[in-house]
Amino acid sequence: MSMEEIYADSIKDPSKQPKKLLRKAYDGTIIAMSYAEILLNRAIKDFGTEQQVGFPDTAYHLPVITCLSGEKVTKLGELVPILNRMRNQVRTELTFDNARLWGESTLYAAEVIETVNYLRGEEPKTKPWTGFLGDPIVRKHGIKMVDWTIPGVAVILGRAKDSPSAKKIVDNLMGKGFMIFLCDEIIEQLLEENVKIGEDYIAFPLGNFTQIIHAVNYAFRAGLAFGGIPAGERENHRDYQRRRVRAFVLQFGERDDVKIAASMGAIFMGFPTVTDQPLSEDDQIPDWYISEPDYEKIVALAMEVRGIKLTNIEIPIPVNFGPAFEGESIRKGDMFVEMGGGRTTAYELVHMVGADEIVDGQVTVIGPELDSIPEGSKLPLGININVYGRKMQSDFEGVLERRIHYFANYGEGVWHVAQRDLCWVRVSKDARAKGFLMKHFGELLLAKLKQEFPAIIDRVEVTISTDQATVEAGLIRARARYQTRDDRMKSLTDESVEDFYSCLLCQSFAPNHVCVVSPERVGLCGAVSWLDAKASFEISPNGPNQPIPKGASLDDLKGMWQSTNDFVYKASNNTIEEVNLYTLMDKPMTSCGCFEAIMAIVPEVNGLMLTTREHSGMTPCGMTFSALAGTCGGGLQTPGFMGIGRTYLLSKKFIPADGGIARIVWMPKELKDFLRGQDFAQRAIDEGLGEDFLDKIADESVGTTVEEITAFLEENGHPCFDLEPLM
């Protein structure tokens, strides 16, 4: 069903057009457009038409305008004809059709207003207020937004009836795992109640009312970055927003005409608005602009009209849980207890057992509980999870074990990093004050494993150990199991298996992208190994990970097989005819938008550079991560540029056709530190480059231009100058 048909179904009888509401929306649009014109004219007078404009950390210029019109605005004077065009589409007839166009014009007006505010330095500069959210944040969280790992998006503006009510609603949404954008007085209300908001909690306090546009441009960039929809394809972008971005607006407190006009902008995108103000029938639009004064019902109604249905199970723990808390940090001053991370002995282990070796649903704590220790304690930790399933395989243990990290971080006030015997866990003072215990930690893991893996797990039992002797004994068993797995993985090479696996998880936002995952090449997101893909296929035979029988090789060095070509061509909607797995220079694998890092050639030094989504600065190829992602993301096959998972750098199959790791001339220091912890030095030794090769690679402390890094590379004897020319 098209957007127009959906809208038409809302008001089938023209005589029932909500004239009262439409009149306010029209008046609000005129006010918004006039205000934008006034600010723009003043800015042109002060700065001139050639003044450069734009938002920080984005490759998409002014994203709303870029997305809807295709115009890449860089100068102040370029906004004048755009704003004039938007005013000309504001027709006076009070119809729902026109109201949506008024909403579009209001979105343009808001973007112009905020562009001028940024030019004048009037955007928020102090945390937790965020203002414009840069592309790194969009790429970090936007993937989960459009693949529905985050079940929905709530845009909240205005002032709730009181601060405790605001807290209750936001806590409810966070507990459901929602992404939240906040504007107006509700931000101060939540801060009064000590609600955790900010980037770490995917609850973004944008600023004042007009800064609501930063929620809009965030959503539109998802279509550009992940949907692979070209800039300017207006109706395709609107359709993508309706289908993939499950958002709604909660409008609290006083409704002025401009806020109503902005709600029409949300409706233009396919997002309904629910207000807490009592409204007459002619002041509402069924399913699109509705009233619900009861705070106990307002979230449920908004979810209902947006079509969001949750499948989460209730977990009996005293803190909130969900993806909203995945980025939460617990600093030393906020910590009640700390376990592992080199401070104490710790490990985590998932082990497949027989049907008679497990008590399903049981959580046991061996050793001191949190209610028996003083604040600031350090405890040893052993996380033992036994699983049984008729379709369970030992190869799946590591897959499930890595989920401990995600599930643990879903708990509010629980922080988990690393894995295996390097795991590090903290529990906050606030979580402990609410009654959180280690048994709740176990219940969270148990419930989420059962919920996420019902196809292979029939029974789960969790034992948490905080007793030193018990943990030390368990660690010996765990390390033996780790070694067995590692030996198994080392034995897996691209040559030793009969099947590769596809991964189509990202096609919901990059329709033509296909990952080919092999034992020696992890998926671009870094989260899908060959064993992960194999396990996924066993769990869901019709899912995104399908076996690709290798058959005969067409090119051993570049990594091309007829079978992969045939699969990729069909799975990419007949757009990608051939793909090489072991080179970035000739028909490389396509890139989606989920990649952990990007490679790009630096021809001046006959090498290549890497950057990561964590690094927002400039790079020697003259582009930031965001700009590079816009170049090669969205399912494009771009020779010389390619998205990768970080651990691919440790593979013997890292672009061997192009010279392997010897080609790397620059990377961010953060990536260097990561590779040191992954024994990159051994890979360099194996390649004959010496254990100090990583120190010969430049980083941002050396420079971010070709001129700055060339002298460093020459001085340190980097091998790039002795390799065959890349081009």
Side-chain angles (χ1 to χ4, degrees), residues 560-603:
M560 180 181 286
W561 290 261
Q562 187 60 51
S563 60
T564 56
N565 287 343
D566 293 343
F567 185 94
V568 169
Y569 182 67
K570 183 177 179 180
S572 67
N573 302 304
N574 302 337
T575 60
I576 306 298
E577 296 183 358
E578 294 181 323
V579 63
N580 286 307
L581 268 61
Y582 305 150
T583 173
L584 84 158
M585 297 303 296
D586 180 23
K587 301 181 178 69
M589 199 156 73
T590 57
S591 298
C592 49
C594 308
F595 33 72
E596 292 185 303
I598 301 176
M599 300 192 293
I601 59 171
V602 187

mmCIF file of all heavy atoms in Angstrom, residues 560-603:
data_model
loop_
_atom_site.group_PDB
_atom_site.id
_atom_site.type_symbol
_atom_site.label_atom_id
_atom_site.label_comp_id
_atom_site.label_asym_id
_atom_site.label_seq_id
_atom_site.Cartn_x
_atom_site.Cartn_y
_atom_site.Cartn_z
ATOM 1 N N MET A 560 37.905 -15.672 -6.134
ATOM 2 C CA MET A 560 36.644 -15.665 -6.873
ATOM 3 C C MET A 560 36.220 -17.105 -7.163
ATOM 4 O O MET A 560 37.027 -17.939 -7.563
ATOM 5 C CB MET A 560 36.754 -14.892 -8.189
ATOM 6 C CG MET A 560 35.433 -14.863 -8.979
ATOM 7 S SD MET A 560 35.545 -13.979 -10.572
ATOM 8 C CE MET A 560 35.620 -12.280 -10.005
ATOM 9 N N TRP A 561 34.940 -17.363 -6.931
ATOM 10 C CA TRP A 561 34.333 -18.652 -7.225
ATOM 11 C C TRP A 561 33.074 -18.432 -8.055
ATOM 12 O O TRP A 561 32.364 -17.432 -7.847
ATOM 13 C CB TRP A 561 33.943 -19.394 -5.945
ATOM 14 C CG TRP A 561 35.087 -19.890 -5.137
ATOM 15 C CD1 TRP A 561 35.595 -21.154 -5.121
ATOM 16 C CD2 TRP A 561 35.881 -19.146 -4.202
ATOM 17 N NE1 TRP A 561 36.654 -21.248 -4.243
ATOM 18 C CE2 TRP A 561 36.845 -20.023 -3.665
ATOM 19 C CE3 TRP A 561 35.879 -17.807 -3.776
ATOM 20 C CZ2 TRP A 561 37.792 -19.624 -2.728
ATOM 21 C CZ3 TRP A 561 36.808 -17.412 -2.843
ATOM 22 C CH2 TRP A 561 37.753 -18.312 -2.332
ATOM 23 N N GLN A 562 32.798 -19.335 -8.958
ATOM 24 C CA GLN A 562 31.585 -19.201 -9.755
ATOM 25 C C GLN A 562 30.348 -19.283 -8.876
ATOM 26 O O GLN A 562 29.357 -18.577 -9.096
ATOM 27 C CB GLN A 562 31.522 -20.288 -10.836
ATOM 28 C CG GLN A 562 30.368 -20.112 -11.825
ATOM 29 C CD GLN A 562 30.461 -18.790 -12.581
ATOM 30 O OE1 GLN A 562 31.508 -18.470 -13.153
ATOM 31 N NE2 GLN A 562 29.381 -18.001 -12.579
ATOM 32 N N SER A 563 30.409 -20.129 -7.852
ATOM 33 C CA SER A 563 29.247 -20.296 -6.970
ATOM 34 C C SER A 563 28.928 -19.012 -6.217
ATOM 35 O O SER A 563 27.759 -18.639 -6.067
ATOM 36 C CB SER A 563 29.494 -21.430 -5.982
ATOM 37 O OG SER A 563 30.641 -21.161 -5.182
ATOM 38 N N THR A 564 29.975 -18.310 -5.729
ATOM 39 C CA THR A 564 29.719 -17.053 -5.020
ATOM 40 C C THR A 564 29.192 -15.992 -5.983
ATOM 41 O O THR A 564 28.320 -15.204 -5.633
ATOM 42 C CB THR A 564 30.982 -16.546 -4.302
ATOM 43 O OG1 THR A 564 32.052 -16.415 -5.245
ATOM 44 C CG2 THR A 564 31.387 -17.499 -3.198
ATOM 45 N N ASN A 565 29.722 -15.974 -7.204
ATOM 46 C CA ASN A 565 29.210 -15.028 -8.201
ATOM 47 C C ASN A 565 27.730 -15.272 -8.478
ATOM 48 O O ASN A 565 26.927 -14.327 -8.533
ATOM 49 C CB ASN A 565 29.986 -15.149 -9.510
ATOM 50 C CG ASN A 565 31.378 -14.556 -9.421
ATOM 51 O OD1 ASN A 565 31.671 -13.784 -8.521
ATOM 52 N ND2 ASN A 565 32.242 -14.922 -10.355
ATOM 53 N N ASP A 566 27.380 -16.541 -8.662
ATOM 54 C CA ASP A 566 25.981 -16.875 -8.959
ATOM 55 C C ASP A 566 25.075 -16.474 -7.802
ATOM 56 O O ASP A 566 23.998 -15.898 -8.011
ATOM 57 C CB ASP A 566 25.837 -18.375 -9.231
ATOM 58 C CG ASP A 566 26.536 -18.808 -10.519
ATOM 59 O OD1 ASP A 566 26.840 -17.922 -11.348
ATOM 60 O OD2 ASP A 566 26.774 -20.020 -10.678
ATOM 61 N N PHE A 567 25.521 -16.765 -6.570
ATOM 62 C CA PHE A 567 24.698 -16.438 -5.408
ATOM 63 C C PHE A 567 24.568 -14.927 -5.250
ATOM 64 O O PHE A 567 23.464 -14.396 -5.042
ATOM 65 C CB PHE A 567 25.291 -17.050 -4.141
ATOM 66 C CG PHE A 567 24.431 -16.842 -2.921
ATOM 67 C CD1 PHE A 567 23.521 -17.805 -2.529
ATOM 68 C CD2 PHE A 567 24.500 -15.662 -2.184
ATOM 69 C CE1 PHE A 567 22.704 -17.605 -1.422
ATOM 70 C CE2 PHE A 567 23.693 -15.457 -1.080
ATOM 71 C CZ PHE A 567 22.790 -16.436 -0.699
ATOM 72 N N VAL A 568 25.700 -14.224 -5.315
ATOM 73 C CA VAL A 568 25.685 -12.774 -5.110
ATOM 74 C C VAL A 568 24.839 -12.080 -6.176
ATOM 75 O O VAL A 568 24.089 -11.140 -5.872
ATOM 76 C CB VAL A 568 27.124 -12.215 -5.093
ATOM 77 C CG1 VAL A 568 27.108 -10.691 -5.163
ATOM 78 C CG2 VAL A 568 27.858 -12.669 -3.840
ATOM 79 N N TYR A 569 24.924 -12.520 -7.405
ATOM 80 C CA TYR A 569 24.147 -11.881 -8.476
ATOM 81 C C TYR A 569 22.648 -11.970 -8.180
ATOM 82 O O TYR A 569 21.928 -10.966 -8.260
ATOM 83 C CB TYR A 569 24.452 -12.535 -9.814
ATOM 84 C CG TYR A 569 23.709 -11.896 -10.981
ATOM 85 C CD1 TYR A 569 23.999 -10.596 -11.382
ATOM 86 C CD2 TYR A 569 22.711 -12.588 -11.653
ATOM 87 C CE1 TYR A 569 23.318 -9.996 -12.437
ATOM 88 C CE2 TYR A 569 22.026 -12.005 -12.710
ATOM 89 C CZ TYR A 569 22.330 -10.706 -13.097
ATOM 90 O OH TYR A 569 21.642 -10.118 -14.136
ATOM 91 N N LYS A 570 22.209 -13.134 -7.807
ATOM 92 C CA LYS A 570 20.786 -13.314 -7.519
ATOM 93 C C LYS A 570 20.379 -12.571 -6.254
ATOM 94 O O LYS A 570 19.356 -11.886 -6.223
ATOM 95 C CB LYS A 570 20.466 -14.806 -7.379
ATOM 96 C CG LYS A 570 18.996 -15.102 -7.156
ATOM 97 C CD LYS A 570 18.746 -16.603 -7.107
ATOM 98 C CE LYS A 570 17.261 -16.903 -6.867
ATOM 99 N NZ LYS A 570 17.012 -18.372 -6.810
ATOM 100 N N ALA A 571 21.210 -12.688 -5.203
ATOM 101 C CA ALA A 571 20.858 -12.086 -3.914
ATOM 102 C C ALA A 571 20.988 -10.566 -3.920
ATOM 103 O O ALA A 571 20.409 -9.892 -3.072
ATOM 104 C CB ALA A 571 21.728 -12.670 -2.804
ATOM 105 N N SER A 572 21.743 -10.000 -4.878
ATOM 106 C CA SER A 572 21.906 -8.540 -4.963
ATOM 107 C C SER A 572 20.905 -7.918 -5.926
ATOM 108 O O SER A 572 21.133 -6.825 -6.433
ATOM 109 C CB SER A 572 23.336 -8.183 -5.392
ATOM 110 O OG SER A 572 23.572 -8.611 -6.730
ATOM 111 N N ASN A 573 19.822 -8.640 -6.163
ATOM 112 C CA ASN A 573 18.790 -8.146 -7.084
ATOM 113 C C ASN A 573 19.358 -7.931 -8.489
ATOM 114 O O ASN A 573 19.039 -6.947 -9.166
ATOM 115 C CB ASN A 573 18.164 -6.856 -6.545
ATOM 116 C CG ASN A 573 17.548 -7.047 -5.176
ATOM 117 O OD1 ASN A 573 16.699 -7.914 -4.987
ATOM 118 N ND2 ASN A 573 17.979 -6.253 -4.203
ATOM 119 N N ASN A 574 20.231 -8.869 -8.880
ATOM 120 C CA ASN A 574 20.821 -8.873 -10.233
ATOM 121 C C ASN A 574 21.645 -7.631 -10.540
ATOM 122 O O ASN A 574 21.657 -7.143 -11.665
ATOM 123 C CB ASN A 574 19.733 -9.058 -11.298
ATOM 124 C CG ASN A 574 18.945 -10.339 -11.116
ATOM 125 O OD1 ASN A 574 19.422 -11.283 -10.494
ATOM 126 N ND2 ASN A 574 17.743 -10.383 -11.660
ATOM 127 N N THR A 575 22.337 -7.118 -9.504
ATOM 128 C CA THR A 575 23.143 -5.904 -9.713
ATOM 129 C C THR A 575 24.645 -6.161 -9.658
ATOM 130 O O THR A 575 25.415 -5.469 -10.315
ATOM 131 C CB THR A 575 22.794 -4.818 -8.685
ATOM 132 O OG1 THR A 575 23.047 -5.329 -7.370
ATOM 133 C CG2 THR A 575 21.329 -4.411 -8.791
ATOM 134 N N ILE A 576 25.092 -7.136 -8.870
ATOM 135 C CA ILE A 576 26.520 -7.423 -8.729
ATOM 136 C C ILE A 576 26.819 -8.743 -9.433
ATOM 137 O O ILE A 576 26.382 -9.807 -8.989
ATOM 138 C CB ILE A 576 26.940 -7.509 -7.248
ATOM 139 C CG1 ILE A 576 26.514 -6.240 -6.490
ATOM 140 C CG2 ILE A 576 28.443 -7.742 -7.135
ATOM 141 C CD1 ILE A 576 27.155 -4.973 -6.989
ATOM 142 N N GLU A 577 27.586 -8.695 -10.507
ATOM 143 C CA GLU A 577 27.810 -9.892 -11.324
ATOM 144 C C GLU A 577 28.982 -10.732 -10.830
ATOM 145 O O GLU A 577 28.940 -11.961 -10.915
ATOM 146 C CB GLU A 577 28.038 -9.488 -12.781
ATOM 147 C CG GLU A 577 26.823 -8.830 -13.425
ATOM 148 C CD GLU A 577 27.046 -8.502 -14.887
ATOM 149 O OE1 GLU A 577 28.167 -8.746 -15.384
ATOM 150 O OE2 GLU A 577 26.102 -8.005 -15.527
ATOM 151 N N GLU A 578 30.038 -10.078 -10.339
ATOM 152 C CA GLU A 578 31.212 -10.813 -9.883
ATOM 153 C C GLU A 578 31.763 -10.159 -8.621
ATOM 154 O O GLU A 578 31.660 -8.937 -8.442
ATOM 155 C CB GLU A 578 32.304 -10.822 -10.958
ATOM 156 C CG GLU A 578 31.943 -11.592 -12.215
ATOM 157 C CD GLU A 578 33.073 -11.594 -13.229
ATOM 158 O OE1 GLU A 578 33.766 -10.557 -13.342
ATOM 159 O OE2 GLU A 578 33.263 -12.621 -13.898
ATOM 160 N N VAL A 579 32.375 -10.984 -7.759
ATOM 161 C CA VAL A 579 32.957 -10.448 -6.534
ATOM 162 C C VAL A 579 34.208 -11.245 -6.178
ATOM 163 O O VAL A 579 34.256 -12.471 -6.322
ATOM 164 C CB VAL A 579 31.946 -10.486 -5.369
ATOM 165 C CG1 VAL A 579 31.546 -11.910 -5.025
ATOM 166 C CG2 VAL A 579 32.498 -9.790 -4.139
ATOM 167 N N ASN A 580 35.258 -10.517 -5.762
ATOM 168 C CA ASN A 580 36.486 -11.126 -5.258
ATOM 169 C C ASN A 580 36.551 -10.930 -3.748
ATOM 170 O O ASN A 580 36.317 -9.817 -3.248
ATOM 171 C CB ASN A 580 37.717 -10.465 -5.891
ATOM 172 C CG ASN A 580 37.921 -10.883 -7.330
ATOM 173 O OD1 ASN A 580 37.970 -12.067 -7.640
ATOM 174 N ND2 ASN A 580 38.050 -9.904 -8.226
ATOM 175 N N LEU A 581 36.915 -11.983 -3.026
ATOM 176 C CA LEU A 581 36.958 -11.910 -1.569
ATOM 177 C C LEU A 581 38.286 -11.403 -1.029
ATOM 178 O O LEU A 581 38.354 -10.950 0.113
ATOM 179 C CB LEU A 581 36.671 -13.289 -0.959
ATOM 180 C CG LEU A 581 35.206 -13.592 -0.613
ATOM 181 C CD1 LEU A 581 34.330 -13.553 -1.848
ATOM 182 C CD2 LEU A 581 35.092 -14.935 0.092
ATOM 183 N N TYR A 582 39.369 -11.457 -1.843
ATOM 184 C CA TYR A 582 40.700 -11.195 -1.297
ATOM 185 C C TYR A 582 41.384 -9.969 -1.903
ATOM 186 O O TYR A 582 42.604 -9.877 -1.919
ATOM 187 C CB TYR A 582 41.605 -12.417 -1.525
ATOM 188 C CG TYR A 582 41.080 -13.718 -0.988
ATOM 189 C CD1 TYR A 582 41.413 -14.918 -1.616
ATOM 190 C CD2 TYR A 582 40.256 -13.776 0.137
ATOM 191 C CE1 TYR A 582 40.960 -16.142 -1.138
ATOM 192 C CE2 TYR A 582 39.786 -14.987 0.620
ATOM 193 C CZ TYR A 582 40.133 -16.167 -0.022
ATOM 194 O OH TYR A 582 39.676 -17.372 0.457
ATOM 195 N N THR A 583 40.618 -9.016 -2.398
ATOM 196 C CA THR A 583 41.211 -7.790 -2.922
ATOM 197 C C THR A 583 40.218 -6.649 -2.779
ATOM 198 O O THR A 583 39.008 -6.873 -2.782
ATOM 199 C CB THR A 583 41.603 -7.936 -4.403
ATOM 200 O OG1 THR A 583 42.037 -6.657 -4.904
ATOM 201 C CG2 THR A 583 40.440 -8.398 -5.259
ATOM 202 N N LEU A 584 40.762 -5.443 -2.640
ATOM 203 C CA LEU A 584 39.882 -4.276 -2.655
ATOM 204 C C LEU A 584 40.008 -3.500 -3.961
ATOM 205 O O LEU A 584 39.311 -2.507 -4.155
ATOM 206 C CB LEU A 584 40.170 -3.337 -1.468
ATOM 207 C CG LEU A 584 41.309 -2.310 -1.577
ATOM 208 C CD1 LEU A 584 41.068 -1.177 -0.580
ATOM 209 C CD2 LEU A 584 42.642 -2.938 -1.355
ATOM 210 N N MET A 585 40.860 -3.969 -4.873
ATOM 211 C CA MET A 585 41.121 -3.214 -6.090
ATOM 212 C C MET A 585 40.313 -3.692 -7.294
ATOM 213 O O MET A 585 40.135 -2.955 -8.257
ATOM 214 C CB MET A 585 42.620 -3.276 -6.432
ATOM 215 C CG MET A 585 43.522 -2.639 -5.388
ATOM 216 S SD MET A 585 43.120 -0.903 -5.065
ATOM 217 C CE MET A 585 43.483 -0.179 -6.652
ATOM 218 N N ASP A 586 39.832 -4.918 -7.270
ATOM 219 C CA ASP A 586 39.157 -5.478 -8.444
ATOM 220 C C ASP A 586 37.900 -6.213 -8.002
ATOM 221 O O ASP A 586 37.984 -7.266 -7.378
ATOM 222 C CB ASP A 586 40.104 -6.436 -9.177
ATOM 223 C CG ASP A 586 39.462 -7.049 -10.425
ATOM 224 O OD1 ASP A 586 38.511 -6.455 -10.963
ATOM 225 O OD2 ASP A 586 39.921 -8.126 -10.846
ATOM 226 N N LYS A 587 36.737 -5.646 -8.307
ATOM 227 C CA LYS A 587 35.449 -6.241 -7.968
ATOM 228 C C LYS A 587 35.381 -6.668 -6.502
ATOM 229 O O LYS A 587 35.107 -7.827 -6.170
ATOM 230 C CB LYS A 587 35.149 -7.445 -8.878
ATOM 231 C CG LYS A 587 35.104 -7.117 -10.364
ATOM 232 C CD LYS A 587 34.775 -8.364 -11.178
ATOM 233 C CE LYS A 587 34.679 -8.047 -12.667
ATOM 234 N NZ LYS A 587 36.007 -7.710 -13.234
ATOM 235 N N PRO A 588 35.642 -5.739 -5.566
ATOM 236 C CA PRO A 588 35.623 -6.119 -4.146
ATOM 237 C C PRO A 588 34.201 -6.406 -3.662
ATOM 238 O O PRO A 588 33.227 -6.109 -4.355
ATOM 239 C CB PRO A 588 36.187 -4.875 -3.459
ATOM 240 C CG PRO A 588 35.778 -3.745 -4.356
ATOM 241 C CD PRO A 588 35.881 -4.305 -5.757
ATOM 242 N N MET A 589 34.112 -6.981 -2.483
ATOM 243 C CA MET A 589 32.800 -7.241 -1.920
ATOM 244 C C MET A 589 32.096 -5.910 -1.636
ATOM 245 O O MET A 589 32.748 -4.909 -1.313
ATOM 246 C CB MET A 589 32.922 -8.047 -0.621
ATOM 247 C CG MET A 589 31.638 -8.747 -0.224
ATOM 248 S SD MET A 589 31.949 -10.177 0.852
ATOM 249 C CE MET A 589 32.402 -9.368 2.371
ATOM 250 N N THR A 590 30.788 -5.905 -1.787
ATOM 251 C CA THR A 590 30.018 -4.694 -1.536
ATOM 252 C C THR A 590 30.084 -4.323 -0.052
ATOM 253 O O THR A 590 30.412 -5.146 0.801
ATOM 254 C CB THR A 590 28.552 -4.887 -1.944
ATOM 255 O OG1 THR A 590 28.011 -6.015 -1.238
ATOM 256 C CG2 THR A 590 28.424 -5.119 -3.434
ATOM 257 N N SER A 591 29.773 -3.073 0.247
ATOM 258 C CA SER A 591 29.752 -2.585 1.624
ATOM 259 C C SER A 591 28.347 -2.109 1.956
ATOM 260 O O SER A 591 27.688 -1.465 1.134
ATOM 261 C CB SER A 591 30.753 -1.436 1.798
ATOM 262 O OG SER A 591 32.075 -1.874 1.536
ATOM 263 N N CYS A 592 27.906 -2.418 3.165
ATOM 264 C CA CYS A 592 26.542 -2.035 3.577
ATOM 265 C C CYS A 592 26.603 -0.684 4.279
ATOM 266 O O CYS A 592 26.749 0.348 3.650
ATOM 267 C CB CYS A 592 25.942 -3.111 4.472
ATOM 268 S SG CYS A 592 27.029 -3.625 5.824
ATOM 269 N N GLY A 593 26.496 -0.687 5.579
ATOM 270 C CA GLY A 593 26.660 0.525 6.375
ATOM 271 C C GLY A 593 27.062 0.141 7.780
ATOM 272 O O GLY A 593 27.288 0.982 8.633
ATOM 273 N N CYS A 594 27.159 -1.189 8.016
ATOM 274 C CA CYS A 594 27.419 -1.705 9.357
ATOM 275 C C CYS A 594 28.887 -1.967 9.618
ATOM 276 O O CYS A 594 29.250 -2.417 10.697
ATOM 277 C CB CYS A 594 26.656 -3.015 9.562
ATOM 278 S SG CYS A 594 24.914 -2.939 9.176
ATOM 279 N N PHE A 595 29.739 -1.759 8.628
ATOM 280 C CA PHE A 595 31.143 -2.118 8.758
ATOM 281 C C PHE A 595 31.790 -1.433 9.952
ATOM 282 O O PHE A 595 31.486 -0.297 10.297
ATOM 283 C CB PHE A 595 31.921 -1.784 7.484
ATOM 284 C CG PHE A 595 31.433 -0.561 6.750
ATOM 285 C CD1 PHE A 595 31.646 0.701 7.262
ATOM 286 C CD2 PHE A 595 30.739 -0.682 5.561
ATOM 287 C CE1 PHE A 595 31.204 1.823 6.595
ATOM 288 C CE2 PHE A 595 30.282 0.430 4.884
ATOM 289 C CZ PHE A 595 30.514 1.694 5.403
ATOM 290 N N GLU A 596 32.728 -2.161 10.581
ATOM 291 C CA GLU A 596 33.458 -1.612 11.727
ATOM 292 C C GLU A 596 34.561 -0.657 11.270
ATOM 293 O O GLU A 596 34.931 0.267 11.996
ATOM 294 C CB GLU A 596 34.099 -2.745 12.524
ATOM 295 C CG GLU A 596 33.114 -3.644 13.233
ATOM 296 C CD GLU A 596 33.803 -4.661 14.108
ATOM 297 O OE1 GLU A 596 34.641 -5.434 13.587
ATOM 298 O OE2 GLU A 596 33.514 -4.690 15.309
ATOM 299 N N ALA A 597 35.116 -0.907 10.096
ATOM 300 C CA ALA A 597 36.217 -0.086 9.590
ATOM 301 C C ALA A 597 36.100 0.034 8.077
ATOM 302 O O ALA A 597 35.370 -0.725 7.432
ATOM 303 C CB ALA A 597 37.562 -0.709 9.972
ATOM 304 N N ILE A 598 36.800 1.003 7.514
ATOM 305 C CA ILE A 598 36.823 1.210 6.065
ATOM 306 C C ILE A 598 38.273 1.282 5.614
ATOM 307 O O ILE A 598 39.106 1.942 6.238
ATOM 308 C CB ILE A 598 36.106 2.513 5.662
ATOM 309 C CG1 ILE A 598 34.647 2.503 6.111
ATOM 310 C CG2 ILE A 598 36.162 2.711 4.150
ATOM 311 C CD1 ILE A 598 33.923 3.799 5.817
ATOM 312 N N MET A 599 38.558 0.591 4.509
ATOM 313 C CA MET A 599 39.866 0.689 3.867
ATOM 314 C C MET A 599 39.752 1.619 2.666
ATOM 315 O O MET A 599 38.743 1.603 1.965
ATOM 316 C CB MET A 599 40.345 -0.675 3.390
ATOM 317 C CG MET A 599 40.491 -1.715 4.476
ATOM 318 S SD MET A 599 41.390 -3.180 3.881
ATOM 319 C CE MET A 599 40.222 -3.831 2.693
ATOM 320 N N ALA A 600 40.801 2.386 2.437
ATOM 321 C CA ALA A 600 40.842 3.258 1.263
ATOM 322 C C ALA A 600 42.287 3.389 0.799
ATOM 323 O O ALA A 600 43.207 3.458 1.621
ATOM 324 C CB ALA A 600 40.262 4.636 1.586
ATOM 325 N N ILE A 601 42.476 3.420 -0.499
ATOM 326 C CA ILE A 601 43.839 3.516 -1.026
ATOM 327 C C ILE A 601 44.400 4.925 -0.814
ATOM 328 O O ILE A 601 43.666 5.912 -0.819
ATOM 329 C CB ILE A 601 43.897 3.136 -2.513
ATOM 330 C CG1 ILE A 601 42.988 4.055 -3.343
ATOM 331 C CG2 ILE A 601 43.537 1.678 -2.720
ATOM 332 C CD1 ILE A 601 43.178 3.871 -4.843
ATOM 333 N N VAL A 602 45.703 4.976 -0.610
ATOM 334 C CA VAL A 602 46.449 6.236 -0.557
ATOM 335 C C VAL A 602 47.532 6.110 -1.630
ATOM 336 O O VAL A 602 48.669 5.705 -1.351
ATOM 337 C CB VAL A 602 47.067 6.473 0.829
ATOM 338 C CG1 VAL A 602 47.695 7.870 0.895
ATOM 339 C CG2 VAL A 602 46.036 6.307 1.934
ATOM 340 N N PRO A 603 47.194 6.414 -2.883
ATOM 341 C CA PRO A 603 48.114 6.127 -3.997
ATOM 342 C C PRO A 603 49.443 6.854 -3.904
ATOM 343 O O PRO A 603 50.452 6.377 -4.418
ATOM 344 C CB PRO A 603 47.310 6.559 -5.231
ATOM 345 C CG PRO A 603 46.229 7.448 -4.723
ATOM 346 C CD PRO A 603 45.924 6.991 -3.339
#
